[in-house]
Amino acid sequence: MFLKSLIACTTLHEVATWASSGRVKYAANLRTCIAFQLYFLWRAGSLLYASLYGPWDEWPTQRLQSETMDNLNALAGYFVYDLCFLIQTQPFSGFVLHHLLGLGMIRYLQNIGLPPTHLLTLYNTLSFVSEVTNPTLNFRHFVKGTRWEPLVRQLNFWLYTGFRVILLPMLSFQLHGALRSLPLLFLFLTVYGMSLMWYRRLIRMTWSPRLLE
């Protein structure tokens, strides 16, 4: 699934390049990211539903475990695609470090193996929560200067506050409590610290946008 995701994102980027208008910087990359993120959220949501209400008769628990891990592998492929793009265009961006840390977390979970049955819901909830804010954050570039921009800014702020600032650390500490992994906790805390730095910018972007102009 890692290679499929990497190839799919690279192909989407090439296709999106043909449709780029030039008005939005890095439009092809943004479109590719949004497309993958929506796909990932659909998969994570479906797996979360299955883990909450039980897999169907033809879909045993072992397959649910495998699909959950495949979803993480797909996220790793996306991270590698976006990381390569960032290194070429914004090598000193904080997103480079963010993606490296994200790949470190995924690699650590891969080494643990298939998610234990009692942690399937937590794995898939974390997957959903970690990406649910990103499509609209990327979409904001396409509505800049339009009447939709204030609405998208507000949506980004409230989604980020609820999911990334409040819910994500709660779920992360639950996973740490279940796995008792200090390296994983360190990675979570570092990523969360970076999220709070971005949150500060998001607050200014939402309530005092002229300060960023």
Side-chain angles (χ1 to χ4, degrees):
M1 197 64 180
F2 168 82
L3 284 177
K4 288 181 180 179
S5 174
L6 179 58
I7 293 170
C9 287
T10 303
T11 304
L12 278 173
H13 183 95
E14 293 302 317
V15 173
T17 300
W18 298 341
S20 294
S21 63
R23 185 179 70 86
V24 179
K25 191 176 183 180
Y26 306 134
N29 173 255
L30 291 170
R31 288 179 176 135
T32 301
C33 291
I34 292 171
F36 174 84
Q37 288 155 3
L38 291 175
Y39 164 76
F40 180 83
L41 288 172
W42 173 77
R43 273 184 58 97
S46 299
L47 292 168
L48 176 58
Y49 179 88
S51 64
L52 284 172
Y53 299 102
W56 300 279
D57 291 339
E58 67 275 12
W59 213 29
T61 301
Q62 187 175 4
R63 181 178 174 187
L64 181 56
Q65 291 174 301
S66 178
E67 292 283 343
T68 298
M69 185 57 72
D70 278 347
N71 211 33
L72 290 175
N73 291 334
L75 185 61
Y78 159 72
F79 275 161
V80 169
Y81 150 76
D82 203 31
L83 181 62
C84 290
F85 177 83
L86 289 169
I87 289 173
Q88 295 178 59
T89 57
Q90 306 172 65
F92 301 106
S93 167
F95 293 113
V96 172
L97 177 58
H98 171 273
H99 283 13
L100 289 173
L101 292 170
L103 286 168
M105 285 191 287
I106 293 172
R107 182 60 181 166
Y108 188 89
L109 292 173
Q110 287 173 330
N111 287 337
I112 294 175
L114 292 177
T117 303
H118 68 287
L119 293 180
L120 280 171
T121 298
L122 184 55
Y123 266 65
N124 289 304
T125 304
L126 263 171
S127 294
F128 186 87
V129 168
S130 66
E131 286 295 316
V132 71
T133 60
N134 291 332
T136 54
L137 281 172
N138 286 322
F139 184 68
R140 79 185 191 279
H141 297 282
F142 295 98
V143 297
K144 189 173 183 179
T146 71
R147 62 193 179 103
W148 299 105
E149 185 178 4
L151 178 62
V152 172
R153 282 178 174 169
Q154 290 281 338
L155 180 61
N156 283 328
F157 173 77
W158 292 112
L159 283 175
Y160 205 92
T161 300
F163 286 97
R164 293 296 290 269
V165 177
I166 298 174
L167 190 55
L168 186 61
M170 294 170 58
L171 296 171
S172 299
F173 278 111
Q174 285 186 40
L175 185 60
H176 166 67
L179 298 178
R180 295 293 179 183
S181 167
L182 287 178
L184 192 60
L185 178 62
F186 171 77
L187 290 169
F188 277 137
L189 290 175
T190 305
V191 170
Y192 187 63
M194 297 182 69
S195 297
L196 291 180
M197 292 173 62
W198 173 248
Y199 186 56
R200 180 184 176 187
R201 178 178 173 83
L202 189 60
I203 291 172
R204 296 175 63 188
M205 190 186 302
T206 306
W207 306 111
S208 304
R210 290 184 180 180
L211 295 177
L212 299 178
E213 293 177 355

